[in-house]
Amino acid sequence: MTIREEIEAREKEFFSPYAAFDAQSRGRDRYEEPCDIRPVYERDRDRILHCKSFRRLKHKTQVFLSPRGDHYRTRLTHTLEVAQLSRTIAKALCLNEDLADAIALGHDLGHTPFGHTGEKALNEVCEFGFSHVEQSVRTVELLENSGRGLNLTWEVRDGIRNHRTSGHPHTLEGQIVRYCDKIAYINHDIDDAERAGILTEEDIPLRYREQMGFSTRQRLNTLIHDVILNSRGKDHIEMSEKMDQLVKDMRHFMFDHVYTNSAAKGEDSKAVSMIQSLYQYYFSHPEDMSKECLYLIDQGGERKEKVVCDYIAGMTDQYSIQKFQELFIPKSWQLD
């Protein structure tokens, strides 16, 4: 018996009957010989962790565009916080931690530079629209490994595709990530907004603080406990009605005071204009994109509009600024 088979046998003894068992995965699009050490979801987690798209997340905006400070969240630190919360809940419920971890680590791989601002810009200019959720799936299915993708299991891709509020993940581990994404970003965005001087703790309505806690740490603790206590022994993941409504109300509060109306979002219109200018340029000059992109158009049969989005979505904040400057900002003339 291999180490992997020993691990799979232990899952049968320890996991909840509602867990996603490694040995029962629907598998991959392309068959691969099983690893002798790692079960399939652990293997998927490792593939995501080592891929280029994951590394680029460290230079992509979470909320604040290219913030001047070392302590603000980036898309990478958001991803890591979602993964940590997801593992905590999965472990407490005797579910598959590796699957929850893999989904969490991969859920935002398709995000554009400048976060949702960049996503909005591409969605407006591309005739096929643009969604970071579908782009994350496209990244792991096609774009990584020079057009071969990561060949992840069905369950991981399902969790990535359904991590938004409107999604319906087929596994409990995917449902955990769906909740933890919201729990993480609402609370760490409050923390960043307070650090930036946009909010104070007293600006948060008192009824939210009284019921969830008077600090980021307390609120996270309250919400994680609520999910665990309301999901134990069930075939689905849920929060209490009270906490679920409070999270929705807090999300509306953040949209009104941080995500749309704060001083920190004053540069968003410039980012939208820049991203859309890059899209128009590369649509007219596809030869200036990478060899991988040209291959997808010429040999892979992919629509040019989609591949231009692929190219721009793969950029980091600073790289997109650099390309914009090279293409549109005049350089000082000098004699060689």
CSV table of all heavy atoms in Angstrom, one decimal, residues 226-248:
chain,number,residue,atom,x,y,z
A,226,ASP,N,-19.6,30.9,14.3
A,226,ASP,CA,-21.0,30.8,13.9
A,226,ASP,C,-21.1,29.8,12.7
A,226,ASP,O,-22.0,29.0,12.7
A,226,ASP,CB,-21.5,32.2,13.4
A,226,ASP,CG,-22.9,32.2,13.1
A,226,ASP,OD1,-23.7,32.3,14.1
A,226,ASP,OD2,-23.3,32.1,12.0
A,227,VAL,N,-20.2,29.9,11.8
A,227,VAL,CA,-20.3,28.9,10.6
A,227,VAL,C,-20.1,27.5,11.1
A,227,VAL,O,-20.9,26.6,10.8
A,227,VAL,CB,-19.2,29.3,9.6
A,227,VAL,CG1,-19.1,28.2,8.5
A,227,VAL,CG2,-19.5,30.6,8.9
A,228,ILE,N,-19.1,27.3,12.0
A,228,ILE,CA,-18.9,25.9,12.5
A,228,ILE,C,-20.0,25.4,13.3
A,228,ILE,O,-20.5,24.3,13.1
A,228,ILE,CB,-17.6,25.9,13.4
A,228,ILE,CG1,-16.3,26.2,12.5
A,228,ILE,CG2,-17.4,24.6,14.1
A,228,ILE,CD1,-15.1,26.5,13.3
A,229,LEU,N,-20.5,26.2,14.2
A,229,LEU,CA,-21.6,25.7,15.1
A,229,LEU,C,-22.9,25.5,14.3
A,229,LEU,O,-23.7,24.6,14.7
A,229,LEU,CB,-21.9,26.7,16.2
A,229,LEU,CG,-20.7,26.9,17.2
A,229,LEU,CD1,-21.0,28.0,18.2
A,229,LEU,CD2,-20.5,25.5,18.0
A,230,ASN,N,-23.1,26.2,13.3
A,230,ASN,CA,-24.4,26.1,12.5
A,230,ASN,C,-24.3,25.0,11.4
A,230,ASN,O,-25.3,24.8,10.7
A,230,ASN,CB,-24.8,27.4,11.9
A,230,ASN,CG,-25.4,28.3,13.0
A,230,ASN,OD1,-26.6,28.2,13.3
A,230,ASN,ND2,-24.6,29.2,13.5
A,231,SER,N,-23.1,24.5,11.2
A,231,SER,CA,-22.9,23.5,10.1
A,231,SER,C,-22.5,22.1,10.5
A,231,SER,O,-22.5,21.2,9.7
A,231,SER,CB,-21.7,24.0,9.1
A,231,SER,OG,-22.0,25.3,8.6
A,232,ARG,N,-22.3,21.9,11.8
A,232,ARG,CA,-21.9,20.6,12.3
A,232,ARG,C,-23.0,19.6,12.1
A,232,ARG,O,-24.1,19.8,12.4
A,232,ARG,CB,-21.6,20.7,13.8
A,232,ARG,CG,-20.4,21.6,14.2
A,232,ARG,CD,-20.0,21.5,15.6
A,232,ARG,NE,-19.5,20.1,16.0
A,232,ARG,CZ,-19.2,19.8,17.2
A,232,ARG,NH1,-19.3,20.7,18.2
A,232,ARG,NH2,-18.7,18.6,17.5
A,233,GLY,N,-22.5,18.4,11.5
A,233,GLY,CA,-23.4,17.3,11.3
A,233,GLY,C,-24.4,17.5,10.1
A,233,GLY,O,-25.3,16.7,10.0
A,234,LYS,N,-24.3,18.6,9.4
A,234,LYS,CA,-25.2,18.9,8.3
A,234,LYS,C,-24.5,18.6,6.9
A,234,LYS,O,-23.3,18.6,6.8
A,234,LYS,CB,-25.6,20.4,8.3
A,234,LYS,CG,-26.4,20.7,9.6
A,234,LYS,CD,-26.8,22.2,9.6
A,234,LYS,CE,-27.6,22.5,10.9
A,234,LYS,NZ,-28.0,24.0,10.9
A,235,ASP,N,-25.4,18.5,5.9
A,235,ASP,CA,-24.9,18.2,4.6
A,235,ASP,C,-24.7,19.5,3.7
A,235,ASP,O,-24.6,19.5,2.5
A,235,ASP,CB,-25.8,17.3,3.8
A,235,ASP,CG,-27.2,17.8,3.6
A,235,ASP,OD1,-27.5,19.0,4.1
A,235,ASP,OD2,-28.0,17.2,2.9
A,236,HIS,N,-24.6,20.6,4.4
A,236,HIS,CA,-24.4,21.9,3.8
A,236,HIS,C,-23.7,22.8,4.8
A,236,HIS,O,-23.8,22.6,6.0
A,236,HIS,CB,-25.7,22.5,3.3
A,236,HIS,CG,-26.7,22.8,4.3
A,236,HIS,ND1,-27.5,21.8,4.8
A,236,HIS,CD2,-27.0,23.9,5.0
A,236,HIS,CE1,-28.3,22.3,5.8
A,236,HIS,NE2,-28.0,23.6,5.9
A,237,ILE,N,-23.2,23.9,4.3
A,237,ILE,CA,-22.5,24.9,5.2
A,237,ILE,C,-23.4,26.1,5.3
A,237,ILE,O,-24.0,26.6,4.3
A,237,ILE,CB,-21.2,25.3,4.6
A,237,ILE,CG1,-20.3,24.1,4.4
A,237,ILE,CG2,-20.5,26.4,5.5
A,237,ILE,CD1,-20.0,23.3,5.7
A,238,GLU,N,-23.6,26.6,6.5
A,238,GLU,CA,-24.5,27.8,6.7
A,238,GLU,C,-24.1,28.6,7.9
A,238,GLU,O,-23.4,28.1,8.8
A,238,GLU,CB,-25.9,27.4,6.8
A,238,GLU,CG,-26.3,26.6,8.0
A,238,GLU,CD,-27.7,26.2,8.1
A,238,GLU,OE1,-28.5,26.5,7.2
A,238,GLU,OE2,-28.1,25.6,9.1
A,239,MET,N,-24.5,29.9,7.9
A,239,MET,CA,-24.4,30.7,9.1
A,239,MET,C,-25.8,30.9,9.7
A,239,MET,O,-26.8,30.5,9.1
A,239,MET,CB,-23.9,32.1,8.7
A,239,MET,CG,-22.6,32.1,8.0
A,239,MET,SD,-22.1,33.8,7.5
A,239,MET,CE,-21.6,34.5,9.1
A,240,SER,N,-25.8,31.4,10.9
A,240,SER,CA,-27.1,31.7,11.5
A,240,SER,C,-27.8,32.8,10.7
A,240,SER,O,-27.1,33.6,10.1
A,240,SER,CB,-26.9,32.1,13.0
A,240,SER,OG,-26.2,33.3,13.1
A,241,GLU,N,-29.1,32.9,10.8
A,241,GLU,CA,-29.8,34.0,10.0
A,241,GLU,C,-29.3,35.4,10.5
A,241,GLU,O,-29.1,36.3,9.7
A,241,GLU,CB,-31.3,33.8,10.2
A,241,GLU,CG,-31.9,32.6,9.5
A,241,GLU,CD,-33.4,32.6,9.6
A,241,GLU,OE1,-34.0,33.7,9.9
A,241,GLU,OE2,-34.0,31.6,9.3
A,242,LYS,N,-29.1,35.5,11.8
A,242,LYS,CA,-28.7,36.8,12.3
A,242,LYS,C,-27.3,37.2,11.8
A,242,LYS,O,-27.1,38.3,11.3
A,242,LYS,CB,-28.6,36.7,13.8
A,242,LYS,CG,-28.2,38.1,14.5
A,242,LYS,CD,-28.2,38.0,16.0
A,242,LYS,CE,-27.0,37.2,16.5
A,242,LYS,NZ,-26.9,37.3,18.0
A,243,MET,N,-26.3,36.3,11.8
A,243,MET,CA,-25.0,36.6,11.4
A,243,MET,C,-24.9,36.8,9.9
A,243,MET,O,-24.2,37.7,9.3
A,243,MET,CB,-24.0,35.6,11.8
A,243,MET,CG,-23.7,35.6,13.3
A,243,MET,SD,-22.9,37.2,13.7
A,243,MET,CE,-23.3,37.3,15.5
A,244,ASP,N,-25.7,36.0,9.1
A,244,ASP,CA,-25.7,36.1,7.7
A,244,ASP,C,-26.2,37.5,7.3
A,244,ASP,O,-25.7,38.1,6.4
A,244,ASP,CB,-26.6,35.0,7.1
A,244,ASP,CG,-26.6,35.0,5.6
A,244,ASP,OD1,-25.4,34.8,5.1
A,244,ASP,OD2,-27.6,35.1,4.9
A,245,GLN,N,-27.3,38.0,8.0
A,245,GLN,CA,-27.8,39.3,7.7
A,245,GLN,C,-26.8,40.4,8.1
A,245,GLN,O,-26.7,41.4,7.3
A,245,GLN,CB,-29.1,39.5,8.4
A,245,GLN,CG,-29.8,40.8,8.0
A,245,GLN,CD,-30.1,40.9,6.5
A,245,GLN,OE1,-30.7,39.9,5.9
A,245,GLN,NE2,-29.7,41.9,5.8
A,246,LEU,N,-26.1,40.2,9.2
A,246,LEU,CA,-25.1,41.2,9.6
A,246,LEU,C,-24.0,41.3,8.6
A,246,LEU,O,-23.5,42.4,8.3
A,246,LEU,CB,-24.6,40.8,11.0
A,246,LEU,CG,-25.5,41.2,12.2
A,246,LEU,CD1,-24.9,40.6,13.5
A,246,LEU,CD2,-25.6,42.7,12.3
A,247,VAL,N,-23.5,40.2,8.1
A,247,VAL,CA,-22.5,40.2,7.1
A,247,VAL,C,-23.0,40.9,5.8
A,247,VAL,O,-22.2,41.7,5.2
A,247,VAL,CB,-22.1,38.8,6.7
A,247,VAL,CG1,-21.2,38.8,5.5
A,247,VAL,CG2,-21.3,38.1,7.9
A,248,LYS,N,-24.2,40.7,5.4
A,248,LYS,CA,-24.7,41.4,4.2
A,248,LYS,C,-24.8,42.9,4.5
A,248,LYS,O,-24.5,43.7,3.7
A,248,LYS,CB,-26.1,40.9,3.9
A,248,LYS,CG,-26.1,39.5,3.3
A,248,LYS,CD,-27.6,39.0,3.1
A,248,LYS,CE,-27.6,37.5,2.6
A,248,LYS,NZ,-28.9,37.0,2.5
